[in-house]
């Protein structure tokens, strides 16, 4: 019996690190492999340490991988990732995972950095007829809002329970979904974010008549 | 500052603590003997440790167990214990007596991050990892401790999302300095976190159970989001690459959902993907949870499914339903509400 294929990490160089919002960074690395939008990479600073997983947040025609992350206080990797400077070494896996984007009229629902795979899908030309609902706390937590507006051919809804600002739904995205007058039951729903977001949104969708097999979730556990 | 509990520390950790305090190395062994063999629940009771050493230890450490705050007993003798962990956080342990066995199903996390569609724990979200001491406390504080024959890590949480603490707890259960149990009395269940499987198989000898629930990728990911990350065939490759001897078992858990995963094509696919793995499949009746779109398969379907798998040469058992009358109890939902009130959501 052959040895199971491990998630092998390869040495690469950080091309850039940009703090796009407080404690939120976009890192880019040179790209070596093809990938499907929605896939992720494993990252570590040392090949012998446990890795962490990050959705790719760039398009499959761009020649770098980008990831979006926020610092977790007392987290193992993110405080160190935030300190990285261009030119430093990181260890990265080949892209993997199967939270694949489609060309259908899907609904995309994300909170916080859970927007990352949808950015990859948008940057890869999958933005037609999509509905994207993004929950965030501050104005700057609607990461890539300008890119989204430029690439999305559909509805872009931002929800925030703390921000009171025109154009932003003034409550949580779960409340938005609960109160939405019409929620189509024939569409596929892609949800990405924390487990709490996934279970809350999934409960609401099912409650509103969406079949469970139309709901695909990526959990940032 | 809260004192750190020594209960749940491995011998190596205790040795580091006593070394820090400049106490003789043998004190660590004395502490582990008192905690794990004699099961005392305070430093004061450790009679062969000098008063001076105990005072030094007590400055920053304590030894204590937490008793259960609630228990519910089923008509069939199954008992569900509720243990407080932190304010407003609870975990459950289920005691399941049967003939000559008595199994305790322990939790490894408060809540769970894996979000499986059919799981009640997933609905409460994730509140935290248990320490090895909090895992072991469910065992040591159990009134039926002396009757226990088996431990299964199948309660709240994904054990491989908190693997280091789970491994420490297994070490204490099995080591000579701990309870000295055979690791064959312990089974750890995972939804298939590959790095965790590899580490667990290399660092312990306990049995492995994998929640499978559907052999088809597209269907499994509707039930279990982990399938997007750690694809079942890769999980099985990992298991295949490990040398299971006669002593160590791998089993697959399979909850039966009406019309979802209980058809002949599922039997055929299970036989295909499990080919070459010496294993057992446990079929489990689904206990519906509030708001679930899933239903349990009928008894006839479950029996036919078992027969179909057996025909393919796969050892297949149907897990007896236990404690059904107390299944929905123990305040999971109230925990969720309390937790929600405290939380600062990002959406
Ligand atoms: C499929 C997938 C895709 C992902 N994609 C992204 C992404 O695109 N962007 C992104 O930002 N994240 C993503 N994540 C999450 C990411 O993998 C990391 O988990 C995250 O960045 C935190 O890593 P860390 O090492 O800093 O924190 P960790 O060390 O993993 O800790 C996480 C949190 O748990 C707390 N913690 C640590 N240890 C304990 C303990 N013993 N008990 C209780 N709490 C503890 C820490 O304080 C911290 O807040 C993804 C996860 C998955 C599974």
């Amino acid at each position: 019996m052959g040895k199971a294929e491990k998630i092998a990490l390869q040495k690469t160089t950080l091309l850039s690190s940009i703090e796009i919002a407080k404690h939120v960074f976009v890192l880019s690395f040179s790209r070596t492999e093809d990938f499907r939008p929605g896939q992720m990479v494993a990252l570590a600073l040392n090949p012998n340490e446990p890795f962490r997983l990050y959705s790719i947040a760039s398009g499959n025609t761009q020649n770098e991988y980008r990831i979006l992350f926020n610092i977790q206080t007392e987290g193992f990797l993110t405080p160190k990732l935030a300190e990285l400077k261009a030119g430093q070494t990181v260890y990265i896996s080949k892209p993997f995972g199967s939270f694949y984007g489609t060309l259908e009229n899907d609904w995309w629902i994300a909170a916080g950095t859970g927007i990352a795979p949808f950015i990859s899908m948008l940057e890869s030309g999958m933005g037609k007829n999509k509905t994207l609902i993004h929950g965030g706390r501050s104005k700057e937590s609607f990461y890539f809002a300008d890119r989204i507006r430029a690439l999305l051919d559909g509805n872009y809804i931002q929800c925030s329970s703390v921000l009171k600002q025109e154009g932003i739904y003034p409550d949580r995205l779960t409340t938005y979904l609960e109160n939405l007058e019409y929620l189509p039951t024939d569409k596929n729903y892609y949800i990405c974010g924390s487990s709490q977001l996934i279970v809350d949104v999934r409960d609401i969708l099912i409650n509103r008549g969406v079949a469970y097999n139309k709901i695909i979730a990526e959990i940032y556990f | 500052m809260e004192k750190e509990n020594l209960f749940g520390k491995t011998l190596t950790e205790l040795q580091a603590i006593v070394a820090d305090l400049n106490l003789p190395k043998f004190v660590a062994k004395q502490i582990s003997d008192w905690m794990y063999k004699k099961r005392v629940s305070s430093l004061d009771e450790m009679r062969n440790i000098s008063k001076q050493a105990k005072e030094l230890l007590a400055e920053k450490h304590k030894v204590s167990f937490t008793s259960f705050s609630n228990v519910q007993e089923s008509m069939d003798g199954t008992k569900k214990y509720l243990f407080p962990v932190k304010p407003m956080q609870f975990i459950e342990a289920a005691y399941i007596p049967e003939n000559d066995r008595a199994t305790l199903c322990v939790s490894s996390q408060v809540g769970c991050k894996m979000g499986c569609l059919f799981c009640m724990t997933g609905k409460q979200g994730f509140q935290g990892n248990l320490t090895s001491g909090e895992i072991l406390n469910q065992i040591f504080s159990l009134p039926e401790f002396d009757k226990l024959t088996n431990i299964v890590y199948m309660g709240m949480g994904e054990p491989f999302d908190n693997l280091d603490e789970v491994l420490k707890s297994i070490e204490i259960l099995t080591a000579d300095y701990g309870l000295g149990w055979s690791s064959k009395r312990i089974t750890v269940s995972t939804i298939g976190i590959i790095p965790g499987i590899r580490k667990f198989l290399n660092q312990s000898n306990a049995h492995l159970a994998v929640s499978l629930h559907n052999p088809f990728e597209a269907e499994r990911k509707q039930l279990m989001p982990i399938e997007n990350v750690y694809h079942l065939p890769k999980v099985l490759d990992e298991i295949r690459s490990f040398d299971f001897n006669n002593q160590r078992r791998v089993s697959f858990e399979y909850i039966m959902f009406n019309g979802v995963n209980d058809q002949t094509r599922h039997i055929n696919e299970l036989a295909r993907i499990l080919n070459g793995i010496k294993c057992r499949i446990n079929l489990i009746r689904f206990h519906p949870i509030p708001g679930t779109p899933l239903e349990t398969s009928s008894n006839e379907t479950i029996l036919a499914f078992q027969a179909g798998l057996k025909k393919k040469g796969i050892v297949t058992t149907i897990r007896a339903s236990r404690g059904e009358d107390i299944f929905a109890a123990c305040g999971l939902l109230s925990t969720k509400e309390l937790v929600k009130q405290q939380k600062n959501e990002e959406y």
Side-chain angles (χ1 to χ4, degrees), chain A residues 135-189:
Chain A
R137 292 186 64 77
S138 61
K139 182 142 187 354
E140 56 169 12
S141 65
F142 295 108
Y143 318 122
F144 303 107
D146 292 341
R147 282 305 284 163
I148 294 172
R149 285 194 190 95
L151 295 167
L152 184 81
D153 172 14
N155 289 322
Y156 174 33
I157 299 117
Q158 299 174 332
C159 305
S160 171
S161 56
V162 283
L163 268 183
K164 301 288 168 247
Q165 192 179 314
E166 213 190 312
I168 295 181
Y169 180 78
D171 210 330
R172 295 152 56 124
L173 75 77
T174 40
T175 314
Y176 175 81
L177 288 169
E178 274 166 333
N179 293 330
L180 204 56
E181 219 159 282
Y182 169 70
L183 190 84
T185 51
D186 58 341
K187 302 276 187 283
N188 286 317
Y189 289 81

Side-chain angles (χ1 to χ4, degrees), chain A residues 25 40-41 50-57 67-81 96 113-117 192-193 218-221, chain B residues 86 113 126-131 162 165 226 228-230:
Chain A
F25 293 77
M40 71 195 94
V41 288
F51 55 75
R52 295 289 187 264
L53 304 174
Y54 296 93
S55 303
I56 298 173
I67 63 145
L68 167 73
F69 76 93
N70 59 331
I71 300 179
Q72 300 277 326
T73 17
E74 291 177 44
F76 175 73
L77 186 65
T78 49
K80 293 185 247 175
L81 277 187
F96 68 103
T113 54
I115 195 76
C192 183
E218 182 84 305
I219 298 186
Y220 284 1
F221 58 80
Chain B
K86 295 196 178 68
K113 293 185 215 153
F126 175 74
Q127 285 80 48
N129 282 324
L130 295 186
T131 61
N162 184 23
E165 297 303 310
I226 192 70
N228 281 322
V229 183
Y230 296 120

Side-chain angles (χ1 to χ4, degrees), chain A:
Chain A
M1 211 60 68
K3 190 102 183 97
E5 183 194 334
K6 297 197 171 164
I7 296 176
L9 300 178
Q10 284 156 4
K11 199 170 171 171
T12 189
T13 306
L14 180 70
L15 296 178
S16 70
S17 166
I18 304 171
E19 186 166 8
I20 60 162
K22 194 164 180 240
H23 296 157
V24 182
F25 293 77
V26 173
L27 304 185
S28 63
F29 315 93
S30 62
R31 185 179 145 193
T32 47
E33 308 279 336
D34 266 348
F35 68 91
R36 285 180 69 177
Q39 288 196 300
M40 71 195 94
V41 288
L43 268 191
L45 293 186
N46 177 325
N48 303 317
E49 283 175 359
F51 55 75
R52 295 289 187 264
L53 304 174
Y54 296 93
S55 303
I56 298 173
S58 45
N60 60 2
T61 54
Q62 293 168 312
N63 48 21
E64 57 185 32
Y65 297 127
R66 248 173 268 150
I67 63 145
L68 167 73
F69 76 93
N70 59 331
I71 300 179
Q72 300 277 326
T73 17
E74 291 177 44
F76 175 73
L77 186 65
T78 49
K80 293 185 247 175
L81 277 187
E83 296 294 316
L84 280 184
K85 302 273 174 296
Q88 287 186 287
T89 299
V90 288
Y91 290 83
I92 193 167
S93 72
K94 289 183 181 172
F96 68 103
S98 59
F99 185 68
Y100 302 135
T102 80
L103 294 172
E104 308 289 309
N105 302 353
D106 303 322
W107 280 48
W108 295 340
I109 301 169
T113 54
I115 195 76
F118 302 123
I119 299 298
S120 177
M121 294 172 197
L122 281 171
E123 295 281 4
S124 308
M126 295 178 160
K128 203 163 163 39
N129 289 326
K130 296 293 192 297
T131 297
L132 169 59
I133 307 171
H134 190 196
R137 292 186 64 77
S138 61
K139 182 142 187 354
E140 56 169 12
S141 65
F142 295 108
Y143 318 122
F144 303 107
D146 292 341
R147 282 305 284 163
I148 294 172
R149 285 194 190 95
L151 295 167
L152 184 81
D153 172 14
N155 289 322
Y156 174 33
I157 299 117
Q158 299 174 332
C159 305
S160 171
S161 56
V162 283
L163 268 183
K164 301 288 168 247
Q165 192 179 314
E166 213 190 312
I168 295 181
Y169 180 78
D171 210 330
R172 295 152 56 124
L173 75 77
T174 40
T175 314
Y176 175 81
L177 288 169
E178 274 166 333
N179 293 330
L180 204 56
E181 219 159 282
Y182 169 70
L183 190 84
T185 51
D186 58 341
K187 302 276 187 283
N188 286 317
Y189 289 81
Y190 288 77
I191 324 169
C192 183
S194 67
S195 57
Q196 191 68 63
L197 172 86
I198 305 303
V199 291
D200 288 351
V201 169
R202 195 171 56 197
D203 275 359
I204 292 168
L205 296 178
I206 289 171
N207 209 8
R208 298 210 51 180
V210 178
Y212 75 88
N213 56 11
K214 294 204 155 291
I215 305 170
I216 297 112
E218 182 84 305
I219 298 186
Y220 284 1
F221 58 80

